[in-house]
Amino acid sequence: MNASQRDEQARDVGLLFLRVTGSLFLLWVHGLPKLLNFSAELQRIEDPFHLGAHLTLSLAIFAEVLCPLLIVAGVLARLACLPILFVLLVALLVVHPQWSVAEGQFGWLLLILFTTVFIAGPGRLALNVRLPGVLRYA
């Protein structure tokens, strides 16, 4: 194995680590609590676009539960990043615009992480590599 192959392998392992740890963190800290405490979360969730608490919470659960699972598997990872990025931007810029960078640092770090996965893709250690055509790069 030459240096170029080792670099590519290291890059793929790094992307695997980034997408798995970031996704599991988002799932554990935000997604599962919303899913498991749906009724209580309905009372607490902000509804900045006036879609109704039920729809807003359902969309947040989609972005924070289903999308991280897709990213972990490396299936449609770039597409799965988009709802997460949208929810993070809404939370940081619309729901909590008064937060300083220090107060919103977790959200900003997640934004950086999922933007990186969106730009770089899931790497070769993903199920995407088994998909045909354009789906391989989604």
Side-chain angles (χ1 to χ4, degrees):
M1 180 181 294
N2 63 32
S4 177
Q5 289 172 322
R6 280 194 299 275
D7 287 346
E8 286 181 26
Q9 187 177 30
R11 184 174 28 255
D12 290 328
V13 170
L15 285 170
L16 174 68
F17 179 80
L18 180 73
R19 69 173 213 270
V20 169
T21 56
S23 295
L24 291 177
F25 200 63
L26 177 64
L27 178 68
W28 186 261
V29 173
H30 288 281
L32 287 179
K34 284 182 178 75
L35 183 64
L36 298 174
N37 304 305
F38 190 85
S39 297
E41 291 291 329
L42 275 176
Q43 307 306 315
R44 297 177 5 162
I45 193 154
E46 301 280 343
D47 186 16
F49 302 116
H50 310 290
L51 301 173
H54 193 275
L55 180 57
T56 299
L57 182 57
S58 296
L59 292 171
I61 288 172
F62 171 78
E64 295 173 356
V65 175
L66 180 61
C67 290
L69 292 174
L70 290 170
I71 293 168
V72 166
V75 176
L76 306 175
R78 284 186 166 120
L79 285 177
C81 286
L82 293 176
I84 295 170
L85 295 174
F86 180 77
V87 166
L88 287 167
L89 286 169
V90 168
L92 291 167
L93 301 177
V94 178
V95 176
H96 302 291
Q98 76 283 2
W99 279 0
S100 67
V101 172
E103 290 170 313
Q105 65 182 311
F106 179 72
W108 288 110
L109 285 172
L110 285 174
L111 193 67
I112 292 166
L113 186 151
F114 287 106
T115 300
T116 302
V117 174
F118 178 75
I119 293 168
R124 289 182 298 171
L125 300 175
L127 294 179
N128 261 20
V129 297
R130 302 200 188 284
L131 296 176
V134 71
L135 290 178
R136 177 176 291 169
Y137 303 101

